[in-house]
Amino acid sequence: MGDNGDMTIKVGVFGAAGRMGRTVCGAVCADPQLHLVAAVDPYHQGLDLRSVTGVDCDLHMALDGDALADAGASVAVDFTVAAGARENLHWCAANGVHAVVGTTGLDEDDLHELAEIFTTSNCVVAPNFAIGAVLMMRFAELAAPWFPTAEIIELHHDQKVDAPSGTALLTAERMTGASVEWGEDPTVEHVLEGARGGRGSGGIPIHSVRLRGLIAHQEVLFGTTGQSLTIRHDSFDRSSYMPGVLLAIKAVVERPGLTVGLDAILGL
Ligand code: NAD
């Protein structure tokens, strides 16, 4: 909570000049329960936040965590790169600052370490802050035991360099965690190499579409005798992540240790 008796949460953003960081700065400034007190981006140090985000805020991009300490931030948000996030999170843990992390590329070893170092402050790491995507995965998990065949189609913009998406892989894992009974693929003749897509957990086919104009979309198709079920989620722009990020900033204060994913925060 803020000083001087006000109940706002003081927030600092790592990666503030980046695509996600800028959007987070804007969303934090627009939330009456939050107060943006520091913007950190070593590669854009000194840059005026107003000129970058268009947000009416007097901050300039700072070099490192000291800016959060000086401003008394109680929560840090990190949308940077994995190596930068590791450093920033060590700083947060050492300085008793809660952390909300969206940066991708942190592995199981990183998560173990975060669970160990966040003792005096808390940490939420979410690979996907879009609440609709989190629900899509949960719904897919619920449907899995009732449909013996399923395929995933993920669709993204034409700048994405990896395929399939982490969300598609995670969706397949969640589905096979909920059901072990999956039908055999009937295909014996692959006329075109890769026509049946890549194989996710449990052999669930994952098809990746890359198209200019798209942002981030996914369909999970389920089939059984006489019926099918399609679950679809669409992210139209980066604002889709903001309700999840704001929720996590408010929740992290109350959740001791490490929380991975938004599921628990959403009560799923
Ligand atoms: P970006 O390249 O636009 O922004 C990253 C910013 O971080 C840059 O401005 C860079 O200068 C800055 N940076 C690098 N190292 C830093 C450090 N040590 N400290 C502070 N700032 C540092 O990238 P982006 O599109 O904003 O994505 C950022 C990350 O967020 C990526 O890992 C991306 O995969 C992830 N992401 C996660 C979600 C989610 O829902 N979890 C959604 C979108 C993107």
Side-chain angles (χ1 to χ4, degrees):
M1 295 295 144
D3 299 334
N4 308 324
D6 76 293
M7 297 297 282
T8 57
I9 301 173
K10 290 186 176 179
V11 180
V13 175
F14 286 110
R19 285 167 291 197
M20 284 297 286
R22 277 179 242 177
T23 316
V24 171
C25 287
V28 168
C29 285
D31 189 317
Q33 289 173 263
L34 306 178
H35 184 193
L36 184 69
V37 295
V40 176
D41 203 310
Y43 302 104
H44 298 88
Q45 199 189 350
L47 213 69
D48 177 7
L49 189 70
R50 188 180 278 113
S51 69
V52 179
T53 62
V55 172
D56 191 18
C57 177
D58 272 332
L59 294 172
H60 287 79
M61 299 294 165
L63 176 65
D64 55 27
D66 286 350
L68 275 79
D70 292 347
S74 59
V75 178
V77 180
D78 189 293
F79 280 96
T80 60
V81 291
R86 284 185 194 103
E87 265 181 43
N88 295 336
L89 294 172
H90 272 95
W91 182 91
C92 288
N95 287 274
V97 173
H98 303 300
V100 170
V101 189
T103 306
T104 50
L106 299 179
D107 59 21
E108 282 299 317
D109 288 345
D110 289 314
L111 296 180
H112 280 301
E113 196 179 349
L114 293 179
E116 274 173 21
I117 63 172
F118 275 91
T119 50
T120 54
S121 58
N122 314 330
C123 181
V124 171
V125 179
N128 199 326
F129 275 100
I131 291 172
V134 176
L135 286 170
M136 170 184 64
M137 285 186 263
R138 179 71 187 120
F139 295 157
E141 205 172 46
L142 288 175
W146 307 102
F147 292 86
T149 59
E151 308 217 357
I152 297 171
I153 306 173
E154 58 95 340
L155 311 90
H156 282 82
H157 55 85
D158 64 343
Q159 305 291 307
K160 187 170 174 61
V161 294
D162 57 317
S165 69
T167 296
L169 290 168
L170 185 58
T171 305
E173 274 172 36
R174 296 271 299 260
M175 288 160 63
T176 51
S179 175
V180 287
E181 312 252 326
W182 296 100
E184 290 290 316
D185 186 339
T187 315
V188 286
E189 195 184 343
H190 293 264
V191 179
L192 206 58
E193 182 75 25
R196 296 289 294 123
R199 298 286 158 161
S201 176
I204 294 175
I206 302 179
H207 310 272
S208 298
V209 177
R210 297 292 174 264
L211 277 184
R212 195 159 299 174
L214 294 182
I215 304 288
H217 318 259
Q218 182 170 297
E219 286 187 10
V220 189
L221 292 78
F222 289 96
T224 189
T225 313
Q227 60 181 318
S228 72
L229 171 68
T230 302
I231 304 166
R232 180 173 172 119
H233 175 256
D234 298 275
S235 266
F236 299 120
D237 62 47
R238 287 185 187 85
S239 65
S240 63
Y241 302 111
M242 293 307 114
V245 172
L246 297 176
L247 196 67
I249 293 172
K250 293 166 193 172
V252 69
V253 182
E254 311 285 345
R255 301 190 67 84
L258 176 69
T259 302
V260 180
L262 281 191
D263 293 71
I265 294 173
L266 295 173
L268 297 176

